[in-house]
């Protein structure tokens, strides 16, 4: 399993940072060659299924994720979303936390643990670095409003 942690402090209110990170279709604009479907479409709650399909044609795979924790932030209380990866290719989980930061900013913490089928455990370090890079860019784009 590869584990990584991303942290960002952004000049956004908590609810805006939360919306930018959990409006699932926006992830398709932040991650190249990815399409997103959500069932049911709105609103997200525990049990919502988010499927990211990445790749081109026969070289694509689905990354289905079930929302198992859904706690949107309050005025000054943190928000937490946990997604369990249920796919045949990618397994693990991701957590998105948005909490009050310094100076009225939002503090974002993205934790992820993932394994990629057919990739030997000895390459977890490579999976971690690639995941940190890809998800780090996606988080940055989402928080900028991409």
């Amino acid at each position: 399993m590869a584990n990584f942690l991303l942290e960002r402090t952004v000049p956004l209110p908590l609810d805006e940072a939360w919306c930018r990170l959990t409006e699932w279709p926006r992830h398709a604009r932040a991650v190249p060659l990815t399409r997103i479907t959500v069932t049911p479409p709105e609103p997200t709650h525990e049990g919502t299924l988010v499927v990211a399909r990445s790749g081109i044609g026969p070289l694509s795979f689905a990354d289905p994720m079930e929302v198992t924790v859904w706690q949107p932030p309050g005025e000054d209380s943190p928000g937490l979303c946990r997604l369990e990866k249920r796919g045949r290719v990618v397994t693990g989980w991701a957590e998105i936390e948005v909490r009050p930061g310094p100076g009225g900013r939002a503090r974002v913490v993205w934790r992820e643990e993932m394994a990629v089928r057919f990739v030997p455990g000895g390459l977890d370090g490579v999976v971690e670095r690639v995941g940190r890079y890809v998800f780090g860019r996606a988080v940055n784009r989402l928080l900028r409003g991409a």
Side-chain angles (χ1 to χ4, degrees):
M1 288 287 212
N3 293 284
F4 58 91
L5 171 74
L6 304 167
E7 297 181 276
R8 306 288 189 269
T9 300
V10 293
L12 297 170
L14 289 181
D15 60 339
E16 179 64 22
W18 177 262
C19 284
R20 289 183 185 193
L21 293 169
T22 63
E23 190 177 304
W24 308 118
R26 294 179 74 233
H27 286 242
R29 294 193 303 267
V31 181
L33 303 174
T34 298
R35 296 175 310 284
I36 304 288
T37 57
V38 183
T39 308
E42 295 280 333
T44 297
H45 54 77
E46 290 178 10
T48 294
L49 184 64
V50 179
V51 179
R53 178 164 285 285
S54 299
I56 299 174
L59 299 177
S60 66
F61 67 94
D63 181 10
M65 297 165 274
E66 180 183 352
V67 175
T68 58
V69 175
W70 182 257
Q71 300 169 345
E75 190 172 308
D76 288 319
S77 62
L80 178 66
C81 175
R82 182 177 174 98
L83 300 141
E84 297 285 338
K85 295 176 172 284
R86 308 272 195 226
R88 288 185 274 164
V89 177
V90 180
T91 60
W93 53 266
E95 288 182 344
I96 303 166
E97 182 180 1
V98 177
R99 60 181 179 228
R105 295 174 175 210
R107 183 77 176 149
V108 172
V109 179
W110 182 298
R111 296 175 195 88
E112 187 136 356
E113 179 177 283
M114 64 188 296
V116 181
R117 191 172 183 186
F118 310 117
V119 175
L123 295 175
D124 282 350
V126 173
V127 172
E128 177 186 334
R129 286 188 295 282
V130 169
R132 184 184 314 277
Y133 175 77
V134 169
F135 286 99
R137 285 178 49 99
V139 167
N140 291 346
R141 289 186 75 185
L142 290 165
L143 290 170
R144 282 195 308 261

